Amino acid sequence: MRILSLNSGSATLKFGVFDPTLATPLMESTIDHPAVDAAAFDEIERQLRDAGVAAVDAVGHRVAHGGPRLSAAVLIDADVEQEIEHATPLAPQHNPVALAGIHLARGRWPGLPQVAVFDTAFHAGMPEQASTYAVPQAWRDAGVRRYGFHGLSHQHVLEAVSGALERAPGDLRIISCHLGNGASVCAIDRGRSIDTSMGMTALEGLVMGTRSGDLDPGVPGFVARTLGMDPVQVEAALYHDSGLKALSGIGSDLREIEARARQGHAGARTALQVHAYRVRKYIGAYAVAMGGCDAVAFTGGAGENSPALRRRILEGLEFLGLRLDEDRNESFAASAVVTELQAPRSQVAVLAVRAREQWVIARETAAVLRRAGRAAQRQDLPIPVAISAHHVHLTQAAVEMLFGAGHALRVLQPLSQPGFFAAEETVAVIGERGRLERVRVVGPCRTANQIEVSRTEAIQLGIDAPLRLSGDLAGTPEVTLAGPARSLRTTGLIVARRHLHLTTADARRLGVETRAEIEVALETPRGTVLRHVALRIDDGAVLELHLDTDEANAAGLRGAGGGVLQRCECAARIRTAVDHEDRAFCDAR
């Protein structure tokens, strides 16, 4: 399969042709012309002929904004195009160009499947506290929220850093800095975007080439009243006449600004200081948000190519255990996919990563086409759904401390997953601001204490509990457990990730045996779709999707009975998935 990947910008069109079985592109190029008329596609066809590419099998398009409905790569049809059009006010510089490219590609290569790959998709699972603006409910109902951008780039950084450090994505806390004419920072906590500097539009966050970045919301109203500007003029100024261009007074090209700063130009120096400070501030904030940082990565045109920019940004971050190796930093060759730049004594890895957005577009396009083909063949099995209420798992030592020496858990009732049971025993869970009474113990005993609550209950306790799979307890906060005999202070408080229990036979029937996560649709009147559903494959398991009480309430679900685990009167069906196979043509380091 040969996939044509189109990355349509407001001024340029980047494209490449990729074979999913190969690590390197068949060809890549950039045209200094947006994908808004036939001339751009004439040039694409000419370059394809010159490169010996006779035909392609599919076309993948980068689309900046998917809006509230399009949160994963998807085959393009009339409904998808309409949603992209509806999201245009959220990305006025980019979505119209992407739509023009889609229409022109369809006319140029009729009959080929076309796939939209969204820059916002990587951030679709951001937690509510990161994606929510404190604005009236009517605004939020209309779609006012934080979406994030540069998702293709940050996704590639996650995979490249994981490969370079030889650590699983789920073991890493990465701060990804995409720095170019557009720029953003992303906090990637164990494989997921939990926050990013851009918000509803591409204006929020860092100082960029011509965009302002973070701004007091009162400024537009002030300049409208004071300078007599209308909303269109204010928006145009914030997109096109702000950022490095406004601060330096000489333009938005970082290379020119750095050169003029070395010559003593005051505006250029100010622009560089403000830009670096804003990035450094976000790095510090995201290290706090993740409870630490394992790697800081730089990508994008400026992030890859400016050693001075990386050095300015990282100055003063030694308190994080981060130390840059000056020689490595100066000698990084952008021809490499990823290079480590930290000093040997640094506790945090520093990496430069070559941006490969076209490659990610092609890979996601191939994944969509494979899933579509498998979905057509797969038996569409309904999946039972169960609500998991708060509960605790205890060690035998904890049982004896809470309930008395020699005490053994007594079975109240078996649970649907073989070998597990709800015990007669309950404890109180006590946090900084509140407590939960009569929390059921689940047996048998484990090697570590684990307390599972919903996000709402964690807030009630006054503790920011991490979202984790069962057993992933590193760095979890402490709570007090109170039993009839004594109290116990222990780590292990988590909000459990939604997950699917299944056997290897189930996995084969559902076509998910190599997948890390899936997306499922709940068969409810609300038609709820759940992303980032983890797989727990165990040949002793019973097929069952587990949600916590917050997720069940949001979906309008009710259990069939009381207790720790309640079967619901609905089923789920797999929609899409993320799998290791879809990462098959990964970076050659």
Side-chain angles (χ1 to χ4, degrees), residues 285-423:
Y286 287 164
V288 172
M290 295 189 293
C293 175
D294 300 304
V296 175
F298 294 92
T299 192
E304 297 171 37
N305 298 310
S306 176
L309 175 62
R310 295 192 293 264
R311 184 175 60 253
R312 280 193 301 272
I313 290 169
L314 296 179
E315 286 176 352
L317 293 180
E318 290 81 9
F319 74 96
L320 291 177
L322 188 155
R323 290 173 173 81
L324 184 67
D325 186 302
E326 292 291 349
D327 291 336
R328 286 183 175 183
N329 184 49
E330 292 291 336
S331 62
F332 168 66
S335 58
V337 171
V338 56
T339 298
E340 296 182 49
L341 308 178
Q342 74 274 7
R345 66 186 184 279
S346 181
Q347 299 173 36
V348 177
V350 181
L351 304 100
V353 179
R354 180 161 61 93
R356 299 190 68 192
E357 290 174 301
Q358 286 76 256
W359 173 80
V360 177
I361 294 166
R363 188 196 66 198
E364 294 298 309
T365 297
V368 167
L369 297 178
R370 281 195 295 271
R371 290 195 293 265
R374 287 196 293 260
Q377 302 171 8
R378 186 182 64 218
Q379 182 182 359
D380 198 4
L381 295 175
I383 299 168
V385 179
I387 304 170
S388 179
H390 58 218
H391 59 276
V392 300
H393 301 274
L394 300 173
T395 65
Q396 180 58 37
V399 169
E400 296 192 35
M401 180 174 290
L402 293 166
F403 299 97
H407 187 89
L409 295 178
R410 298 185 295 269
V411 177
L412 175 65
Q413 63 182 36
L415 298 180
S416 54
Q417 294 304 313
F420 292 90
F421 60 88

Side-chain angles (χ1 to χ4, degrees), residues 1 20 82 89 101 131-132 143 166 194 235 251 294 327 331 365 369 373 453 466 480-481 484 486 506 543 553 581:
M1 179 185 292
Q82 187 175 51
S131 63
T132 303
E166 297 182 344
I194 65 158
E235 185 177 57
D294 300 304
D327 291 336
S331 62
T365 297
L369 297 178
V453 298
T480 298
L481 303 180
R486 293 179 59 187
D506 292 328
L543 182 66
N553 289 335
E581 175 186 335

Side-chain angles (χ1 to χ4, degrees), residues 46-356:
R46 184 191 68 77
Q47 292 195 29
L48 291 180
R49 287 194 300 271
D50 290 348
V53 180
V56 295
D57 302 299
V59 183
H61 300 264
R62 174 206 173 216
V63 180
H65 213 304
R69 297 182 183 276
L70 299 175
S71 58
V74 64
L75 278 167
I76 297 173
D77 57 20
D79 291 337
V80 169
E81 288 189 38
Q82 187 175 51
E83 290 296 335
I84 295 172
E85 177 70 34
H86 287 165
T88 291
L90 301 173
Q93 288 185 300
H94 299 93
N95 272 28
V97 179
L99 275 172
I102 289 168
H103 296 154
L104 288 163
R106 182 184 298 113
R108 193 62 58 113
W109 298 288
L112 288 188
Q114 297 196 68
V115 171
V117 183
F118 300 99
D119 238 1
T120 49
F122 184 63
H123 310 294
M126 278 196 303
E128 188 175 16
Q129 66 263 27
S131 63
T132 303
Y133 287 119
V135 297
Q137 184 65 50
W139 296 18
R140 285 177 275 148
D141 291 343
V144 175
R145 52 156 291 185
R146 303 187 70 250
Y147 293 92
F149 294 86
H150 294 136
L152 304 180
S153 182
H154 294 306
Q155 181 176 331
H156 174 245
V157 165
L158 167 63
E159 294 155 8
V161 170
S162 173
L165 300 182
E166 297 182 344
R167 294 176 62 182
D171 293 335
L172 289 169
R173 296 163 297 179
I174 301 169
I175 299 174
S176 173
C177 305
H178 177 103
L179 306 178
N181 194 50
S184 67
V185 180
C186 181
I188 308 174
D189 189 4
R190 295 173 176 85
R192 298 181 61 199
S193 168
I194 65 158
D195 205 348
T196 187
S197 57
M198 282 184 171
M200 188 179 85
T201 71
L203 278 176
E204 188 178 355
L206 305 180
V207 171
M208 294 169 250
T210 63
R211 293 175 233 164
S212 64
D214 288 340
L215 190 73
D216 184 331
V219 170
F222 171 81
V223 298
R225 291 189 301 271
T226 306
L227 303 179
M229 299 175 70
D230 63 35
V232 173
Q233 291 173 315
V234 172
E235 185 177 57
L238 294 176
Y239 270 108
H240 303 294
D241 298 318
S242 300
L244 295 175
K245 177 182 177 182
L247 291 173
S248 69
I250 58 177
S252 61
D253 190 313
L254 183 71
R255 293 165 296 185
E256 182 182 0
I257 293 171
E258 288 182 331
R260 296 292 294 275
R262 289 192 292 269
Q263 297 167 4
H265 190 284
R269 287 182 172 179
T270 298
L272 294 177
Q273 289 169 354
V274 173
H275 179 53
Y277 172 75
R278 193 72 62 85
V279 181
R280 186 162 59 248
K281 184 169 70 170
Y282 269 101
I283 290 174
Y286 287 164
V288 172
M290 295 189 293
C293 175
D294 300 304
V296 175
F298 294 92
T299 192
E304 297 171 37
N305 298 310
S306 176
L309 175 62
R310 295 192 293 264
R311 184 175 60 253
R312 280 193 301 272
I313 290 169
L314 296 179
E315 286 176 352
L317 293 180
E318 290 81 9
F319 74 96
L320 291 177
L322 188 155
R323 290 173 173 81
L324 184 67
D325 186 302
E326 292 291 349
D327 291 336
R328 286 183 175 183
N329 184 49
E330 292 291 336
S331 62
F332 168 66
S335 58
V337 171
V338 56
T339 298
E340 296 182 49
L341 308 178
Q342 74 274 7
R345 66 186 184 279
S346 181
Q347 299 173 36
V348 177
V350 181
L351 304 100
V353 179
R354 180 161 61 93
R356 299 190 68 192

Side-chain angles (χ1 to χ4, degrees), residues 542-560:
V542 170
L543 182 66
E544 194 169 63
L545 175 67
H546 285 189
L547 310 177
D548 72 13
T549 51
D550 279 353
E551 294 174 320
N553 289 335
L557 298 178
R558 300 185 64 180

